[in-house]
PDB file of all heavy atoms in Angstrom:
ATOM      1  N   GLY A 201       0.329  -2.469 -26.612  1.00 93.00           N
ATOM      2  CA  GLY A 201      -0.687  -3.273 -27.308  1.00 93.00           C
ATOM      3  C   GLY A 201      -1.246  -2.645 -28.556  1.00 93.00           C
ATOM      4  O   GLY A 201      -0.521  -2.196 -29.441  1.00 93.00           O
ATOM      5  N   LYS A 202      -2.578  -2.529 -28.615  1.00 94.00           N
ATOM      6  CA  LYS A 202      -3.227  -2.032 -29.820  1.00 94.00           C
ATOM      7  C   LYS A 202      -2.933  -0.553 -30.083  1.00 94.00           C
ATOM      8  O   LYS A 202      -3.200  -0.050 -31.173  1.00 94.00           O
ATOM      9  CB  LYS A 202      -4.731  -2.251 -29.731  1.00 94.00           C
ATOM     10  CG  LYS A 202      -5.398  -1.493 -28.575  1.00 94.00           C
ATOM     11  CD  LYS A 202      -6.878  -1.810 -28.565  1.00 94.00           C
ATOM     12  CE  LYS A 202      -7.591  -1.021 -27.432  1.00 94.00           C
ATOM     13  NZ  LYS A 202      -9.049  -1.282 -27.414  1.00 94.00           N
ATOM     14  N   ASP A 203      -2.390   0.141 -29.078  1.00 96.00           N
ATOM     15  CA  ASP A 203      -2.031   1.554 -29.251  1.00 96.00           C
ATOM     16  C   ASP A 203      -0.557   1.747 -29.613  1.00 96.00           C
ATOM     17  O   ASP A 203      -0.065   2.838 -29.614  1.00 96.00           O
ATOM     18  CB  ASP A 203      -2.322   2.313 -27.961  1.00 96.00           C
ATOM     19  CG  ASP A 203      -3.781   2.306 -27.583  1.00 96.00           C
ATOM     20  OD1 ASP A 203      -4.571   2.910 -28.352  1.00 96.00           O
ATOM     21  OD2 ASP A 203      -4.176   1.713 -26.559  1.00 96.00           O
ATOM     22  N   ALA A 204       0.103   0.636 -29.919  1.00 96.00           N
ATOM     23  CA  ALA A 204       1.566   0.667 -30.184  1.00 96.00           C
ATOM     24  C   ALA A 204       1.893   1.591 -31.351  1.00 96.00           C
ATOM     25  O   ALA A 204       2.893   2.348 -31.302  1.00 96.00           O
ATOM     26  CB  ALA A 204       2.086  -0.749 -30.442  1.00 96.00           C
ATOM     27  N   ILE A 205       1.100   1.544 -32.443  1.00 96.00           N
ATOM     28  CA  ILE A 205       1.392   2.373 -33.618  1.00 96.00           C
ATOM     29  C   ILE A 205       1.294   3.852 -33.275  1.00 96.00           C
ATOM     30  O   ILE A 205       2.145   4.653 -33.611  1.00 96.00           O
ATOM     31  CB  ILE A 205       0.476   1.996 -34.778  1.00 96.00           C
ATOM     32  CG1 ILE A 205       0.740   0.562 -35.266  1.00 96.00           C
ATOM     33  CG2 ILE A 205       0.650   2.991 -35.947  1.00 96.00           C
ATOM     34  CD1 ILE A 205      -0.199   0.094 -36.356  1.00 96.00           C
ATOM     35  N   ALA A 206       0.171   4.215 -32.591  1.00 96.00           N
ATOM     36  CA  ALA A 206      -0.013   5.604 -32.194  1.00 96.00           C
ATOM     37  C   ALA A 206       1.097   6.075 -31.253  1.00 96.00           C
ATOM     38  O   ALA A 206       1.606   7.203 -31.383  1.00 96.00           O
ATOM     39  CB  ALA A 206      -1.361   5.783 -31.528  1.00 96.00           C
ATOM     40  N   MET A 207       1.529   5.189 -30.366  1.00 97.00           N
ATOM     41  CA  MET A 207       2.573   5.545 -29.418  1.00 97.00           C
ATOM     42  C   MET A 207       3.936   5.693 -30.122  1.00 97.00           C
ATOM     43  O   MET A 207       4.747   6.546 -29.781  1.00 97.00           O
ATOM     44  CB  MET A 207       2.649   4.524 -28.313  1.00 97.00           C
ATOM     45  CG  MET A 207       1.443   4.492 -27.390  1.00 97.00           C
ATOM     46  SD  MET A 207       1.143   6.086 -26.602  1.00 97.00           S
ATOM     47  CE  MET A 207       2.628   6.255 -25.675  1.00 97.00           C
ATOM     48  N   ASN A 208       4.143   4.832 -31.099  1.00 97.00           N
ATOM     49  CA  ASN A 208       5.424   4.916 -31.838  1.00 97.00           C
ATOM     50  C   ASN A 208       5.469   6.215 -32.668  1.00 97.00           C
ATOM     51  O   ASN A 208       6.512   6.875 -32.733  1.00 97.00           O
ATOM     52  CB  ASN A 208       5.551   3.724 -32.806  1.00 97.00           C
ATOM     53  CG  ASN A 208       6.933   3.685 -33.447  1.00 97.00           C
ATOM     54  OD1 ASN A 208       7.941   3.630 -32.737  1.00 97.00           O
ATOM     55  ND2 ASN A 208       6.973   3.705 -34.748  1.00 97.00           N
ATOM     56  N   ASN A 209       4.327   6.606 -33.234  1.00 97.00           N
ATOM     57  CA  ASN A 209       4.264   7.887 -33.940  1.00 97.00           C
ATOM     58  C   ASN A 209       4.544   9.076 -33.026  1.00 97.00           C
ATOM     59  O   ASN A 209       5.259  10.026 -33.400  1.00 97.00           O
ATOM     60  CB  ASN A 209       2.878   8.061 -34.602  1.00 97.00           C
ATOM     61  CG  ASN A 209       2.658   7.088 -35.755  1.00 97.00           C
ATOM     62  OD1 ASN A 209       3.610   6.519 -36.310  1.00 97.00           O
ATOM     63  ND2 ASN A 209       1.404   6.804 -36.058  1.00 97.00           N
ATOM     64  N   TYR A 210       4.024   8.981 -31.776  1.00 97.00           N
ATOM     65  CA  TYR A 210       4.255  10.068 -30.824  1.00 97.00           C
ATOM     66  C   TYR A 210       5.744  10.114 -30.443  1.00 97.00           C
ATOM     67  O   TYR A 210       6.339  11.200 -30.360  1.00 97.00           O
ATOM     68  CB  TYR A 210       3.396   9.822 -29.592  1.00 97.00           C
ATOM     69  CG  TYR A 210       3.598  10.854 -28.501  1.00 97.00           C
ATOM     70  CD1 TYR A 210       2.961  12.105 -28.578  1.00 97.00           C
ATOM     71  CD2 TYR A 210       4.425  10.620 -27.424  1.00 97.00           C
ATOM     72  CE1 TYR A 210       3.145  13.076 -27.560  1.00 97.00           C
ATOM     73  CE2 TYR A 210       4.652  11.556 -26.416  1.00 97.00           C
ATOM     74  CZ  TYR A 210       3.994  12.780 -26.523  1.00 97.00           C
ATOM     75  OH  TYR A 210       4.176  13.713 -25.510  1.00 97.00           O
ATOM     76  N   LEU A 211       6.335   8.950 -30.223  1.00 97.00           N
ATOM     77  CA  LEU A 211       7.745   8.861 -29.838  1.00 97.00           C
ATOM     78  C   LEU A 211       8.616   9.471 -30.941  1.00 97.00           C
ATOM     79  O   LEU A 211       9.545  10.261 -30.670  1.00 97.00           O
ATOM     80  CB  LEU A 211       8.124   7.384 -29.609  1.00 97.00           C
ATOM     81  CG  LEU A 211       9.551   7.091 -29.150  1.00 97.00           C
ATOM     82  CD1 LEU A 211       9.595   5.909 -28.189  1.00 97.00           C
ATOM     83  CD2 LEU A 211      10.451   6.793 -30.365  1.00 97.00           C
ATOM     84  N   LEU A 212       8.345   9.132 -32.216  1.00 97.00           N
ATOM     85  CA  LEU A 212       9.154   9.614 -33.311  1.00 97.00           C
ATOM     86  C   LEU A 212       8.935  11.109 -33.546  1.00 97.00           C
ATOM     87  O   LEU A 212       9.880  11.873 -33.781  1.00 97.00           O
ATOM     88  CB  LEU A 212       8.826   8.853 -34.600  1.00 97.00           C
ATOM     89  CG  LEU A 212       9.200   7.357 -34.595  1.00 97.00           C
ATOM     90  CD1 LEU A 212       8.693   6.698 -35.868  1.00 97.00           C
ATOM     91  CD2 LEU A 212      10.677   7.156 -34.398  1.00 97.00           C
ATOM     92  N   ALA A 213       7.680  11.541 -33.422  1.00 97.00           N
ATOM     93  CA  ALA A 213       7.384  12.957 -33.691  1.00 97.00           C
ATOM     94  C   ALA A 213       8.017  13.918 -32.670  1.00 97.00           C
ATOM     95  O   ALA A 213       8.425  15.005 -33.006  1.00 97.00           O
ATOM     96  CB  ALA A 213       5.849  13.190 -33.679  1.00 97.00           C
ATOM     97  N   HIS A 214       8.165  13.389 -31.455  1.00 97.00           N
ATOM     98  CA  HIS A 214       8.736  14.218 -30.352  1.00 97.00           C
ATOM     99  C   HIS A 214      10.203  13.854 -30.061  1.00 97.00           C
ATOM    100  O   HIS A 214      10.759  14.401 -29.137  1.00 97.00           O
ATOM    101  CB  HIS A 214       7.895  14.102 -29.098  1.00 97.00           C
ATOM    102  CG  HIS A 214       6.531  14.745 -29.229  1.00 97.00           C
ATOM    103  ND1 HIS A 214       5.498  14.096 -29.846  1.00 97.00           N
ATOM    104  CD2 HIS A 214       6.049  15.946 -28.846  1.00 97.00           C
ATOM    105  CE1 HIS A 214       4.402  14.859 -29.806  1.00 97.00           C
ATOM    106  NE2 HIS A 214       4.736  16.006 -29.217  1.00 97.00           N
ATOM    107  N   LYS A 215      10.744  12.949 -30.914  1.00 97.00           N
ATOM    108  CA  LYS A 215      12.136  12.557 -30.763  1.00 97.00           C
ATOM    109  C   LYS A 215      12.500  12.160 -29.345  1.00 97.00           C
ATOM    110  O   LYS A 215      13.498  12.606 -28.778  1.00 97.00           O
ATOM    111  CB  LYS A 215      13.055  13.701 -31.252  1.00 97.00           C
ATOM    112  CG  LYS A 215      12.829  14.057 -32.736  1.00 97.00           C
ATOM    113  CD  LYS A 215      13.727  15.195 -33.148  1.00 97.00           C
ATOM    114  CE  LYS A 215      13.505  15.564 -34.599  1.00 97.00           C
ATOM    115  NZ  LYS A 215      14.367  16.676 -35.054  1.00 97.00           N
ATOM    116  N   LEU A 216      11.650  11.334 -28.734  1.00 97.00           N
ATOM    117  CA  LEU A 216      11.866  10.908 -27.356  1.00 97.00           C
ATOM    118  C   LEU A 216      12.943   9.832 -27.265  1.00 97.00           C
ATOM    119  O   LEU A 216      13.028   8.931 -28.124  1.00 97.00           O
ATOM    120  CB  LEU A 216      10.550  10.362 -26.761  1.00 97.00           C
ATOM    121  CG  LEU A 216       9.362  11.322 -26.733  1.00 97.00           C
ATOM    122  CD1 LEU A 216       8.157  10.690 -26.043  1.00 97.00           C
ATOM    123  CD2 LEU A 216       9.737  12.624 -26.005  1.00 97.00           C
ATOM    124  N   LYS A 217      13.738   9.909 -26.245  1.00 96.00           N
ATOM    125  CA  LYS A 217      14.778   8.901 -25.968  1.00 96.00           C
ATOM    126  C   LYS A 217      14.301   8.038 -24.772  1.00 96.00           C
ATOM    127  O   LYS A 217      14.127   8.576 -23.666  1.00 96.00           O
ATOM    128  CB  LYS A 217      16.107   9.570 -25.630  1.00 96.00           C
ATOM    129  CG  LYS A 217      16.596  10.584 -26.660  1.00 96.00           C
ATOM    130  CD  LYS A 217      16.888   9.896 -28.010  1.00 96.00           C
ATOM    131  CE  LYS A 217      17.422  10.927 -29.030  1.00 96.00           C
ATOM    132  NZ  LYS A 217      17.660  10.319 -30.348  1.00 96.00           N
TER     133      LYS A 217
END
Side-chain angles (χ1 to χ4, degrees):
K202 63 181 182 180
D203 297 295
I205 295 176
M207 292 302 298
N208 189 59
N209 291 338
Y210 178 82
L211 182 146
L212 294 175
H214 292 80
K215 299 179 181 179
L216 301 182
K217 307 296 182 182

